Amino acid sequence: MHILITADGRSPITQNWIHSVLKLGYQVTLVSTYPCEDLPGVENTIRFPVAFGGFASAGRTSGGMRRMIRGFRPLIQLFRNSFAPTMMRNAGHRFQKLLEGIKPDLVHALRIPYEGILASHTPPGIPLVVTIWGNDLTLHAPASRGLGRWTRQTLQRADALLADARRDIRLAVQWGFDPSHPTMVLPGSGGVDLDRIKTVAGEPLQSPHTRDIPRDDTWIINPRGIRAYARTDVFFQAIPLLLNRWQNVRFLCTGMAGRNEADVWVQRLKLQDRVHLRPVLPQEELWRLFQRSMISLSITEHDGTPNTLLEAMACGCLPIAGDLETLREWITPGVNGLLVNPCQPQGVADGMMLALTNPSFVRKAAEMNEKIILERADCREVQSMLGTFYNSIHTVCSIL
């Protein structure tokens, strides 16, 4: 079967998903909405920038320009939400012509804005599978009238739906998806290779950005970086509340080095001695940090099932996250992790303190989380289920 995937080819989630699809023996064409490198095993990689994606090539953007863009990110996002949807009809016509030459057996869009919107122009004779990412329906779809209309059109066109949380299947129906069509809930990156993670996580730290971090204190890691839906303010405000009660702890913040928002909070709260801001790190180095950290924090107001959540659980790192419906599908508070109010610094600090003073709870949670990953997120099982799903969609649509 020849599967055409529309996705952000730069994304580790996309790359892991495509790796899973290739292992099933399918032929893959990637239509990337951002400039990206060719991926091993992919039949053809087509750069098809939409929604200003052509401006996102780090290789053609200076460091100063990237910093300026980050500083105006909220304004840029507002502009994109307002104007990018108006460009999608023309992009859709170009996408249809592209499909005429490629003739895939199935099209799969990895998230709705803007890859799913583009793929919603797939002609009726070709089955369309859409994957919902955690913020597609709660953050992006309501962001503008245009995005809302395109989200509804995408879900009405979809022949099948994948999501990493049951909540999103329910919300998709409210946004126009036909509940009689096939659905499946699978981890968004194609599952977790627990054996590989354990092997890699046990190796010495290898990045120059991590070797200088003192080893004598307890580590708490925030792997989410700066995101529109992450409460960076609450995270930093919780730190001094914890340090007033527990000093021997250090905070590792990946994806925050050089980010003005993080720098301002560190300086304002005088956290330079206890907070280590680091750039985005390779996935394997992140696993090593999870292995050495006691707690992983994810203080967000919108989310599906973050891959960092599953990876932290696989490494024995206790997850503390915002109390969201999607995360309750993985975390039972007080049993295998903690869920806190993402708007209350004191609640975040109390959650960290509870974990630090209860090592037996952290140990038991780690044992339980390893079993959960094996039962629900093992990459081999996920790949098998994905292959069955793809084949069933293709067969049913061929008959119709």
Side-chain angles (χ1 to χ4, degrees), residues 151-170:
T151 296
R152 188 170 297 279
Q153 176 174 312
T154 300
L155 289 171
Q156 289 174 341
R157 168 61 186 87
D159 296 297
L161 201 61
L162 284 168
D164 62 12
R166 291 188 294 273
R167 178 208 65 180
D168 289 335
I169 301 294
R170 173 173 55 80

Side-chain angles (χ1 to χ4, degrees), residues 58-177:
R60 289 180 287 177
T61 306
S62 67
M65 180 62 72
R66 287 197 298 273
R67 286 191 292 273
M68 185 182 75
I69 291 173
R70 288 168 181 167
F72 288 96
R73 190 176 295 276
L75 186 61
I76 291 172
Q77 189 62 50
L78 179 63
F79 176 84
R80 188 177 190 232
N81 290 341
S82 299
F83 290 98
T86 66
M87 307 162 68
M88 293 307 298
R89 194 166 302 281
N90 180 59
H93 293 324
R94 291 189 289 119
F95 182 73
Q96 287 177 334
K97 291 184 178 180
L98 183 69
L99 291 184
E100 290 176 5
I102 297 174
K103 295 182 173 57
D105 297 304
L106 182 148
V107 172
H108 185 177
L110 300 186
R111 77 181 170 191
I112 294 176
Y114 285 86
E115 293 77 13
I117 294 173
L118 182 66
S120 69
H121 295 83
T122 301
I126 304 173
L128 172 63
V129 178
V130 174
T131 287
I132 301 175
W133 282 13
N135 303 313
D136 288 359
L137 302 181
T138 62
L139 179 64
H140 297 299
S144 72
R145 190 171 298 176
L147 269 177
R149 284 197 299 268
W150 277 117
T151 296
R152 188 170 297 279
Q153 176 174 312
T154 300
L155 289 171
Q156 289 174 341
R157 168 61 186 87
D159 296 297
L161 201 61
L162 284 168
D164 62 12
R166 291 188 294 273
R167 178 208 65 180
D168 289 335
I169 301 294
R170 173 173 55 80
L171 292 180
V173 173
Q174 298 175 14
W175 279 91
F177 179 71

Side-chain angles (χ1 to χ4, degrees), residues 273-292:
D273 292 340
R274 288 290 154 183
V275 172
H276 302 266
L277 304 180
R278 295 296 182 262
V280 175
L281 296 172
Q283 189 175 34
E284 294 186 349
E285 190 74 352
L286 191 58
W287 297 343
R288 298 180 187 107
L289 290 176
F290 283 142
Q291 180 80 18
R292 290 157 177 78

Side-chain angles (χ1 to χ4, degrees), residues 229-246:
Y229 52 91
R231 291 301 303 265
T232 307
D233 56 337
V234 173
F235 163 66
F236 281 110
Q237 290 173 50
I239 293 175
L241 297 176
L242 176 67
L243 293 176
N244 287 337
R245 295 185 285 171
W246 192 282

Side-chain angles (χ1 to χ4, degrees), residues 256-273:
M256 293 194 190
R259 302 301 295 271
N260 183 65
E261 182 177 348
D263 290 334
V264 167
W265 278 112
V266 170
Q267 294 170 16
R268 181 185 301 174
L269 300 175
K270 298 179 172 58
L271 300 173
Q272 292 89 339
D273 292 340

